[in-house]
Amino acid sequence: MVRHAIIAGGAGFLGSHLVARLLSEGYHVVCVDDLSTGSEENISEHLENPNFEFVEHDIATPISVECDKIYNLACPASPKQYMTNPIKTFKTSIFGTINLLDLAHQQKCKMLQVSTSEVYGDPTVHPQPETYLGNVNTTGPRACYDEGKRAAEAICFDYQRQLAVDVRVVRVFNTYGPKMDPDDGRVVSNFITQALKGEDITVYGDGSQTRSFCYVDDLIEGFCRTMARETQFAGPINLGNPEEYSVKDLAHKVLSIVHSSSQLVYKELPQDDPKKRRPDITKAQDILDWSPKVSVDDGLARTVDWFRGTRKN
């Protein structure tokens, strides 16, 4: 019996990797994406696959598709992208999530809601466990994404409590790897692109702020384990790599891998940019038997190789 999966945001960075994984496992995959930040190029290799279907659609309006599992990855994920049209970002997070929850309720199927470490804001607790309620700014320029994702989590658990929808919420920390958009403004893609071009490396703030970087294959494994679990678990679950690096250290790693002579230049830190970010993944280890396998050095090398092979001169 063929299993049917919907991946909202399936033409994006993470979504396209999930598409490939589920197709390899024998699923019929319906990729739903409005292509506002995703790209058909990310899924072009699957367009002739009879088990793959692409539907260009904005999930802020309802959709009806036969499915056994729903994966909601639909939302711009970098500040450059989500602040371009903050109202649309909110609508995608809130209306889009409600529409997919309604579909999950109608189809009586599991749903994975992909949330974000941004719900913790600029944390005062470090590392961040799922029980930490955050230090957030509800009115700042990043709130369209941060608060949209917080609201989406809230409605997921209301559907779980009130309608018994089997929804699982994962909080994703910084993820990187092949198929990243070179122009999305994220730190890994910025550094690699600038280093390959021999341009100055732009560091915001003094570079002491920290992040934890998870390679995309590890994250997709976490998604699959979350959905494979027979029973629901209480609350959200962190998925990320607990290795922690300063932004300046990351820049030097990229320069070393690329063998670039680019220089670091420093610019003002954007408003509400978190100073520290590292996941406590105890819950994922205990419930999913999951932890990242790919080191940052290895993952960056793979990512640089992909950027070299796709960069347009």
Side-chain angles (χ1 to χ4, degrees):
M1 180 176 173
V2 177
R3 298 164 293 175
H4 292 76
I6 296 174
I7 304 177
F13 163 46
L14 297 181
S16 60
H17 282 272
L18 183 59
V19 165
R21 171 68 181 263
L22 294 186
L23 285 172
S24 75
E25 294 181 355
Y27 280 85
H28 179 89
V29 174
V30 178
C31 167
V32 180
D33 204 300
D34 68 358
L35 301 180
S36 56
T37 56
S39 168
E40 277 196 79
E41 187 176 348
N42 286 337
I43 53 171
S44 60
E45 64 192 286
H46 308 303
L47 293 176
E48 301 302 319
N49 188 329
N51 282 326
F52 178 75
E53 182 180 354
F54 172 62
V55 178
E56 187 171 345
H57 179 83
D58 183 347
I59 62 163
T61 58
I63 187 170
S64 180
V65 181
E66 178 187 354
C67 53
D68 303 300
K69 292 181 179 180
I70 298 172
Y71 297 80
N72 185 17
L73 289 76
C75 191
S78 75
K80 178 181 175 181
Q81 293 172 338
Y82 60 66
M83 291 192 292
T84 298
N85 191 340
I87 294 173
K88 178 176 170 57
T89 298
F90 260 121
K91 287 181 176 179
T92 300
S93 286
I94 298 169
F95 299 150
T97 300
I98 290 171
N99 288 332
L100 293 177
L101 285 165
D102 284 337
L103 182 61
H105 183 234
Q106 293 161 9
Q107 299 277 335
K108 296 181 171 54
C109 67
K110 292 179 183 178
M111 173 168 155
L112 181 76
Q113 172 66 17
V114 177
S115 189
T116 172
S117 60
E118 296 295 338
V119 300
Y120 298 121
D122 188 6
T124 56
V125 171
H126 192 72
Q128 294 81 57
E130 291 86 353
T131 52
Y132 177 53
L133 300 182
N135 175 40
V136 301
N137 179 357
T138 62
T139 62
R142 297 167 65 110
C144 59
Y145 182 68
D146 305 359
E147 296 304 303
K149 287 291 192 178
R150 285 164 68 90
E153 286 194 16
I155 195 66
C156 282
F157 291 109
D158 284 334
Y159 269 71
Q160 188 183 90
R161 286 185 288 261
Q162 186 175 337
L163 299 175
V165 173
D166 186 349
V167 58
R168 293 112 191 269
V169 176
V170 293
R171 290 176 176 166
V172 172
F173 286 65
N174 292 63
T175 311
Y176 68 99
K179 296 191 178 182
M180 293 186 81
D181 180 350
D183 300 316
D184 68 3
R186 298 191 221 199
V187 64
V188 172
S189 51
N190 271 1
F191 287 176
I192 293 176
T193 300
Q194 291 172 334
L196 287 172
K197 292 180 178 179
E199 298 174 349
D200 289 338
I201 304 294
T202 306
V203 176
Y204 293 97
D206 63 5
S208 63
Q209 66 271 32
T210 66
R211 296 290 185 271
S212 300
F213 299 97
C214 185
Y215 189 66
V216 62
D217 289 358
D218 284 329
L219 184 70
I220 298 303
E221 176 66 22
F223 288 173
C224 293
R225 290 191 184 207
T226 301
M227 287 292 265
R229 184 177 160 84
E230 287 298 319
T231 56
Q232 296 182 67
F233 45 82
I237 193 163
N238 288 337
L239 294 178
N241 191 331
E243 291 183 42
E244 184 179 10
Y245 297 93
S246 72
V247 170
K248 187 187 293 185
D249 286 343
L250 179 76
H252 286 297
K253 281 182 176 292
V254 170
L255 289 173
S256 176
I257 292 168
V258 175
H259 302 296
S260 171
S261 57
S262 297
Q263 301 298 307
L264 272 55
V265 296
Y266 296 87
K267 295 188 177 180
E268 184 178 355
L269 194 68
Q271 182 180 338
D272 298 329
D273 195 67
K275 309 302 185 300
K276 289 181 178 293
R277 186 60 60 76
R278 176 160 64 96
D280 180 332
I281 61 168
T282 304
K283 189 173 179 181
Q285 290 170 323
D286 291 346
I287 293 175
L288 306 176
D289 191 25
W290 176 89
S291 59
K293 306 301 182 189
V294 180
S295 70
V296 168
D297 288 340
D298 187 15
L300 284 175
R302 297 185 199 180
T303 307
V304 166
D305 285 345
W306 183 83
F307 270 76
R308 283 191 199 276
T310 60
R311 185 165 64 92
K312 297 177 178 64
N313 295 314

